[in-house]
Amino acid sequence: MTARTPSETARDIPEATVARLPVYLRALTSLSEAGTSTCSSEALAASAGVNSAMLRKDLSYLGSYGTRGVGYDVDYLRYQIAREIGVTQDWPVVIVGIGNLGHALANYSGFRSRGFRTVALLDADPARTGETVAGIDVRPFDDLEGIVAEHGVAIGVIATPAPAAQAVADRMVAAGISSILNFAASVLTVPAGVDVRKVDLSIELQILAYHEQRKAQDQQQEETA
Amino acid sequence: MTARTPSETARDIPEATVARLPVYLRALTSLSEAGTSTCSSEALAASAGVNSAMLRKDLSYLGSYGTRGVGYDVDYLRYQIAREIGVTQDWPVVIVGIGNLGHALANYSGFRSRGFRTVALLDADPARTGETVAGIDVRPFDDLEGIVAEHGVAIGVIATPAPAAQAVADRMVAAGISSILNFAASVLTVPAGVDVRKVDLSIELQILAYHEQRKAQDQQQEETA
DNA sequence: GCCGGTTTGTTCTCTCGTTCACAAACTCCT
DNA sequence: AGGAGTTTGTGAACGAGAGAACAAACCGGC
Ligand SMILES: NC(=O)c1ccc[n+]([C@@H]2O[C@H](COP(=O)([O-])OP(=O)(O)OC[C@H]3O[C@@H](n4cnc5c(N)ncnc54)[C@H](O)[C@@H]3O)[C@@H](O)[C@H]2O)c1
Ligand SMILES: NC(=O)c1ccc[n+]([C@@H]2O[C@H](COP(=O)([O-])OP(=O)(O)OC[C@H]3O[C@@H](n4cnc5c(N)ncnc54)[C@H](O)[C@@H]3O)[C@@H](O)[C@H]2O)c1
């Protein structure tokens, strides 16, 4: 069963490492634009805000792209990471729910520059349909299946109110989308093989509030001590 | 030195647990609104999308708020979690950078309903100043110190372009802010005692792209097998 | 008052992630 | 060519997090 074809690079990069690769990629792009051609793990780790040992271990999962005593070639490493993540090719993306957040996302240029191309903006509200945001027409949600098939869309973004999110996700999955980025504050249930990542602003704020409260308590305790 | 005052509840809740508490809180609010007064760890875990054993362990860090053989009282548990996180009180928040994203954040109602009150919108661009978003005037960035002092703001949100983020963070910290939510795609350096959390949309998309690419490769391998 | 059924709180174990520390490998200088 | 000085890649120690399993505790019925 375990066919194990050691075709190109060995797979199985740890999830925590995958989450940091884009940060390294960004740091390398920065360095490259600043004209730096070579950098040490120490320098790159500082740019990325991590420990240098962790950086080296992360990079070692991709292969041996550094030179001992010298460091890493910025552009070469940048290409290798980009290839590993898969952003050397363009990924078509659809955004569903063109309200406050959907508008911001559609207008966000960081998308395009990092290998993601917004091919459609969809909304269920007929009043929204026909509007043009960032040069792209807002189309009815029912166009989803056609657009996904036409462009081979694999990644969908949900920016609808929470109650609509599960239904939208179901339609996306049925249409053939297998990766979803969810901004709605709700837990999505999807079949195996479909990846979901969530971004929840209010959760982030609550985590900050917890630590803030702790700081206040600690300070109070010091005062009474 | 380690005074260790076991004042109320024992502190030191694991970070992973802290990150899940807001999810439980949301699920409990949902259940409460649906009229449910009691629920088991199994049911709550399903709503939150986690394993029931993990849920019980998480809750056990707060204390013993359940009843064996019965389950948890929804409203009581909800209050206990809210108190632990610190969202029974209101947290004043400032948002800096009222562009595409800043507008969406200012218009976001989920803020207010979860214990966070936007007390000011700040932008360095004079053209933005004077505009009113969601009933709040956009004010010059230089008003930061005054507003932080006046309202006792502890939490700041950065939605400026990446190159401006570090400077904004420095000013925030100098003004007395000790928790920052950063939407800009840059690594922030802050003094010890200041918490930073980042939300980076393009990192999330890149993680999805990586897994998507892997799926495609696996499928290709199966076909040739 | 006791017993069967139910559900929590917790212990144990395993996996995953992070950091340390150092040998291997490279460059540069003499 | 050889040695001093760097920097990578990785084995090993350490710590945190997740899941399985089970005893303790509770309810309701008899
Ligand atoms: N605005 C923010 O800053 C922010 C921040 C974090 C999270 N969120 C979350 O993002 C989501 C969107 O927020 P928003 O402020 O943009 O809300 P919004 O109400 O402004 O926009 C929602 C849009 O989704 C559309 N829609 C509703 N049901 C739909 C359906 N079934 N199919 C397709 N489209 C549908 C609506 O027509 C509307 O245009 C919400 O779940 C919110 O909780 C928003
Ligand atoms: N729009 C999105 O969907 C989105 C998504 C993810 C991340 N981001 C990030 O969020 C940030 C903001 O994105 P945006 O699309 O809203 O950009 P934007 O250009 O529309 O808005 C930026 C705003 O910040 C203000 N500003 C600039 N320098 C400032 C300073 N020193 N002090 C105060 N204000 C200042 C500008 O005047 C402008 O109003 C960017 O870093 C972007 O990468 C945006």
Side-chain angles (χ1 to χ4, degrees):
Chain A
M1 267 302 146
T2 52
R4 194 53 56 101
T5 319
S7 55
E8 303 172 32
T9 52
R11 277 289 102 63
D12 295 343
I13 297 181
E15 195 53 37
T17 296
V18 171
R20 282 187 295 265
L21 289 179
V23 179
Y24 303 153
L25 192 56
R26 201 171 65 202
L28 286 166
T29 303
S30 237
L31 287 171
S32 179
E33 282 169 0
T36 312
S37 64
T38 297
C39 75
S40 68
S41 65
E42 202 72 45
L44 184 54
S47 298
V50 300
N51 186 305
S52 69
M54 190 158 76
L55 174 93
R56 288 198 299 276
K57 177 154 282 192
D58 283 344
L59 294 183
S60 75
Y61 290 114
L62 314 191
S64 276
Y65 296 132
T67 310
R68 298 177 191 217
V70 179
Y72 300 92
D73 181 286
V74 171
D75 287 324
Y76 180 59
L77 182 58
R78 187 157 72 108
Y79 171 74
Q80 292 299 340
I81 294 179
R83 191 181 53 79
E84 191 68 39
I85 299 177
V87 293
T88 46
Q89 57 182 296
D90 246 37
W91 292 95
V93 172
V94 297
I95 302 177
V96 177
I98 314 301
N100 289 310
L101 186 60
H103 272 85
L105 297 177
N107 278 312
Y108 182 45
S109 58
F111 253 1
R112 188 60 180 270
S113 67
R114 284 187 183 79
F116 299 94
R117 188 165 35 93
T118 307
V119 296
L121 306 176
L122 304 178
D123 202 297
D125 185 353
R128 296 258 183 219
T129 308
E131 192 183 344
T132 301
V133 182
I136 305 173
D137 288 342
V138 178
R139 296 172 59 179
F141 180 53
D142 286 334
D143 288 6
L144 177 71
E145 286 77 7
I147 289 165
V148 169
E150 185 188 344
H151 294 90
V153 178
I155 301 176
V157 176
I158 299 180
T160 65
Q166 182 64 57
V168 170
D170 291 345
R171 281 279 292 272
M172 281 183 168
V173 171
I177 284 178
S178 47
S179 287
I180 295 175
L181 182 54
N182 180 32
F183 284 90
S186 73
V187 176
L188 294 185
T189 306
V190 295
V194 177
D195 283 315
V196 174
R197 294 192 66 86
K198 71 165 197 291
V199 173
D200 193 323
L201 167 54
S202 75
I203 287 184
E204 299 299 325
L205 281 177
Q206 287 173 62
I207 295 170
L208 287 176
Y210 169 79
H211 290 297
E212 202 57 46
Q213 186 182 234
R214 273 210 57 191
K215 287 182 214 164
Q217 281 170 2
D218 288 355
Q219 207 174 344
Q220 215 171 353
Q221 240 171 45
E222 254 174 56
E223 277 166 19
T224 58
Chain B
M1 266 304 145
T2 52
R4 195 51 56 98
T5 318
S7 55
E8 303 172 32
T9 52
R11 278 287 103 63
D12 296 342
I13 296 181
E15 196 53 37
T17 297
V18 172
R20 282 188 296 267
L21 289 180
V23 180
Y24 304 153
L25 192 56
R26 200 170 66 202
L28 285 167
T29 303
S30 238
L31 287 172
S32 180
E33 281 169 0
T36 313
S37 63
T38 297
C39 74
S40 69
S41 65
E42 202 72 46
L44 184 54
S47 298
V50 300
N51 186 304
S52 69
M54 190 159 77
L55 173 93
R56 287 198 298 277
K57 191 190 285 195
D58 283 344
L59 295 184
S60 76
Y61 290 114
L62 314 191
S64 277
Y65 297 132
T67 309
R68 298 178 190 214
V70 178
Y72 300 92
D73 181 287
V74 171
D75 287 323
Y76 180 61
L77 182 59
R78 187 157 72 108
Y79 171 75
Q80 292 299 340
I81 294 180
R83 191 181 53 79
E84 191 68 39
I85 299 178
V87 293
T88 45
Q89 58 182 295
D90 246 37
W91 292 95
V93 172
V94 297
I95 303 177
V96 177
I98 313 302
N100 288 310
L101 187 59
H103 271 85
L105 297 177
N107 278 313
Y108 182 43
S109 58
F111 253 180
R112 189 60 181 270
S113 67
R114 284 186 183 82
F116 300 93
R117 188 163 36 91
T118 307
V119 296
L121 306 175
L122 304 178
D123 202 297
D125 185 352
R128 295 261 183 218
T129 309
E131 194 182 342
T132 301
V133 182
I136 305 173
D137 288 342
V138 178
R139 296 172 59 179
F141 181 53
D142 286 334
D143 290 5
L144 177 70
E145 287 78 7
I147 289 165
V148 170
E150 185 187 345
H151 294 90
V153 178
I155 302 177
V157 176
I158 298 180
T160 66
Q166 182 64 57
V168 170
D170 292 344
R171 281 278 292 272
M172 281 182 168
V173 171
I177 283 178
S178 49
S179 288
I180 296 176
L181 182 54
N182 180 32
F183 284 89
S186 73
V187 176
L188 295 184
T189 306
V190 295
V194 177
D195 284 315
V196 174
R197 294 191 68 86
K198 70 165 197 293
V199 173
D200 194 323
L201 168 54
S202 76
I203 287 184
E204 299 299 324
L205 281 177
Q206 287 174 61
I207 295 171
L208 287 176
Y210 169 79
H211 291 297
E212 202 57 47
Q213 184 182 237
R214 272 210 57 190
K215 286 182 217 165
Q217 281 171 2
D218 288 355
Q219 206 175 347
Q220 215 171 354
Q221 242 171 44
E222 255 174 55
E223 277 166 18
T224 59

